Amino acid sequence: MTNLQDPQDIPDPQDMPDGTGSVVPPPGCPAHGGASPLYGRQFLRNPTESYQRMRRDHGQVAPVLLEADIPAWLVLGYREMRQVLGDTQTYGRDPRRWNRWDEVPPDWSLMPWVAYSPMIHFTEGDEHRRRSAAVSDALSTVDPFELRACCERFADGLIDAFAGSGKADLVFDYVYSVPALAIGMMFGLPEDQLEDMAQALTASLDASGDAILAQQRAAEIVARLVTAKRDAPGPDITSRFVQSSPNLTDEQLVGDIMVMMVAGFPATSYWIGTTVRLMLTDSRFAVTLAGGRRSISEAMAEVLWADSPVPNAIGRFAIRDTMLGGQRIRTGDLLVLGLAAANMDPLLWPDTTAGFAGNNAYLSFTGGDYGCPAGAPELARTIAETAIEVLLDRVPDLTLAVEPEELEWVDSLWCRAPSSLPVTFTPTHISAG
């Protein structure tokens, strides 16, 4: 029996007298009232604690600081998130509306996926609907059964490489590689460009490196791919998308394909890594590692609810002055979509001990008119589930080689995943093939 409440039944925090939804006096700027940083070691290690503190101090919409102390708002409440995602007349996606661009340094680590470019990520209205339909059409070319079979083959080959050693770092030896190989296959990317593409996409989301140069490198690879597939199309997503989008410029084609790849590669990798980490550290799942199909599905669902691999997204920009969660939002203000925080809104989940099984109302794939295109979440699930199943079938006695609290996390606003997963297991030289 679930304890998930109907979002319509969640009380408006503005009406709550207990302080959890206290209204902060309109400051004219989100930095007012002790804005919390959405970066740094403390935030990365325990974001849930940070979200709880923000909610206690500010309610369901909190003032925050992005890298370089750029002010923004973080939407923490499930009800408020649904409101933002569903109201395209008040909250838009075009970042040219942002009223803080004059404060952003040119080498800002978040620049690659916030600064305007003609990719689908920033489109609105009819243009977005047309391009989203083209994306879904291209994704539909992937046969899910063939994808699963390919992922099983990729996974077996990767496990063969470390099965005899009795130890591995699953992030470097497995978690990133299965989705990368799947993306290469689905998009028709040449094998000799696969590793560079995977590294570039991952680095473009990482605050610790040069994200701008990484995104530029990824764009160059995709531009060459678009040219090649226009000249010699094949049975892949890129060819289908190029053929079905004759009105898009090369820059738009490259941007939209990159958005699809980011959704399919880094995000899926983080889902795999965080799920495996949960299963290795939580006794509810550890006892059924060997052959526990139901446990894998439940662990994946719990990660989407309680530890979303894409915890935050930028975002929405206020088209007009409005009120949200007791805060005065000014025209041009940036709202960061706190997907992980909204998923675990205590007004939605008064008691999380009942578990999350059977509930698919999580916001990990966003929602509304600008949510993930049809087909994308299903492909990601196929890749992730297959990778985890094969790993636990082939290496059923996986054991984390460090204490759970020693694990480090990816340095990124966008992503939530361990940056390393060292494990030990019984060595075997028997190949699955």
Side-chain angles (χ1 to χ4, degrees), residues 3 6 23 52 63 82 86 98 187 203 213 223 263 268 286 328 334-335 338 355 358 398 404 408 422:
N3 62 340
D6 187 328
V23 178
Q52 290 171 342
R82 286 291 190 190
W98 195 14
F187 284 84
L213 287 178
T268 305
R328 177 177 293 177
L334 164 60
L335 289 89
L398 281 176
E408 297 292 332

Side-chain angles (χ1 to χ4, degrees), residues 190-213:
E191 188 173 341
D192 61 354
Q193 298 178 26
L194 187 57
E195 182 176 354
D196 192 27
M197 186 64 187
Q199 291 177 349
L201 286 176
T202 302
S204 73
L205 299 166
D206 193 338
S208 62
D210 196 327
I212 296 175
L213 287 178

Side-chain angles (χ1 to χ4, degrees), residues 326-347:
Q327 303 284 12
R328 177 177 293 177
I329 309 299
R330 307 282 188 174
T331 301
D333 279 358
L334 164 60
L335 289 89
V336 178
L337 306 180
L339 306 176
N343 281 339
M344 292 303 293
D345 186 344
L347 297 179

Side-chain angles (χ1 to χ4, degrees), residues 50-52 54-55 58-62 74-78 80-81 336 338 341-345:
S50 297
Y51 300 144
Q52 290 171 342
M54 294 178 207
R55 207 186 305 268
H58 302 286
Q60 299 287 60
V61 178
L74 179 67
V75 184
L76 296 156
Y78 187 94
E80 288 74 14
M81 183 72 71
V336 178
N343 281 339
M344 292 303 293
D345 186 344

Side-chain angles (χ1 to χ4, degrees), residues 84-352:
V84 170
L85 294 176
D87 186 355
T88 59
Q89 300 303 309
T90 304
Y91 307 101
R93 298 214 302 180
D94 191 330
R96 290 174 293 188
R97 294 190 177 95
W98 195 14
N99 55 22
R100 295 281 177 174
W101 275 119
D102 59 342
E103 302 174 32
V104 176
D107 59 348
W108 196 41
S109 63
L110 301 178
M111 190 76 79
W113 301 100
V114 179
Y116 177 80
S117 67
M119 63 175 61
I120 189 174
H121 184 66
F122 300 125
T123 56
E124 300 174 345
D126 289 341
E127 181 186 3
H128 175 78
R129 284 186 282 274
R130 286 193 299 270
R131 289 168 68 171
S132 182
V135 168
S136 295
D137 178 68
L139 295 177
S140 71
T141 63
V142 180
D143 182 330
F145 299 102
E146 181 182 352
L147 176 61
R148 179 174 289 275
C150 288
C151 287
E152 289 176 349
R153 187 173 68 252
F154 298 150
D156 276 327
L158 292 164
I159 294 170
D160 285 344
F162 62 74
S165 67
K167 62 181 181 180
D169 187 323
L170 293 180
V171 168
F172 297 100
D173 297 332
Y174 191 77
V175 165
Y176 281 103
S177 299
V178 175
L181 291 167
I183 289 300
M185 181 271 295
M186 290 191 295
F187 284 84
L189 192 68
E191 188 173 341
D192 61 354
Q193 298 178 26
L194 187 57
E195 182 176 354
D196 192 27
M197 186 64 187
Q199 291 177 349
L201 286 176
T202 302
S204 73
L205 299 166
D206 193 338
S208 62
D210 196 327
I212 296 175
L213 287 178
Q215 192 198 49
Q216 291 172 349
R217 190 166 75 249
E220 291 169 359
I221 296 172
V222 175
R224 292 196 296 269
L225 178 64
V226 166
T227 299
K229 292 302 178 180
R230 183 180 284 115
D231 295 338
D236 52 69
I237 292 173
T238 305
S239 297
R240 178 67 170 263
F241 189 63
V242 170
Q243 291 170 341
S244 63
S245 306
N247 296 324
L248 295 186
T249 66
D250 281 2
E251 188 177 12
Q252 290 171 323
L253 289 169
V254 168
D256 290 4
I257 291 170
M258 285 179 61
V259 170
M260 286 188 268
M261 286 186 171
V262 165
F265 167 60
T268 305
S269 298
Y270 301 137
W271 194 4
I272 296 170
T274 306
T275 301
V276 172
R277 176 239 174 216
L278 173 65
M279 299 188 75
L280 292 176
T281 59
D282 192 315
S283 60
R284 294 174 300 147
F285 300 101
V287 294
T288 56
L289 278 179
R293 290 291 185 270
R294 185 166 161 225
S295 291
I296 292 172
S297 177
E298 288 178 355
M300 291 177 65
E302 179 156 329
V303 164
L304 291 180
W305 273 114
D307 205 5
S308 179
V310 181
N312 300 291
I314 298 179
R316 297 294 185 268
F317 303 86
I319 298 173
R320 58 189 177 216
D321 290 358
T322 188
M323 293 293 293
L324 181 69
Q327 303 284 12
R328 177 177 293 177
I329 309 299
R330 307 282 188 174
T331 301
D333 279 358
L334 164 60
L335 289 89
V336 178
L337 306 180
L339 306 176
N343 281 339
M344 292 303 293
D345 186 344
L347 297 179
L348 183 70
W349 293 103
D351 176 17
T352 58

Side-chain angles (χ1 to χ4, degrees), residues 369-404:
D369 288 352
Y370 302 144
C372 286
E378 292 76 15
L379 294 179
R381 178 178 295 278
T382 296
I383 296 169
E385 189 170 56
T386 304
I388 298 169
E389 286 180 351
V390 174
L391 176 66
L392 301 184
D393 280 347
R394 291 285 309 276
V395 195
D397 62 343
L398 281 176
T399 302
L400 194 62
V402 298
E403 293 300 318

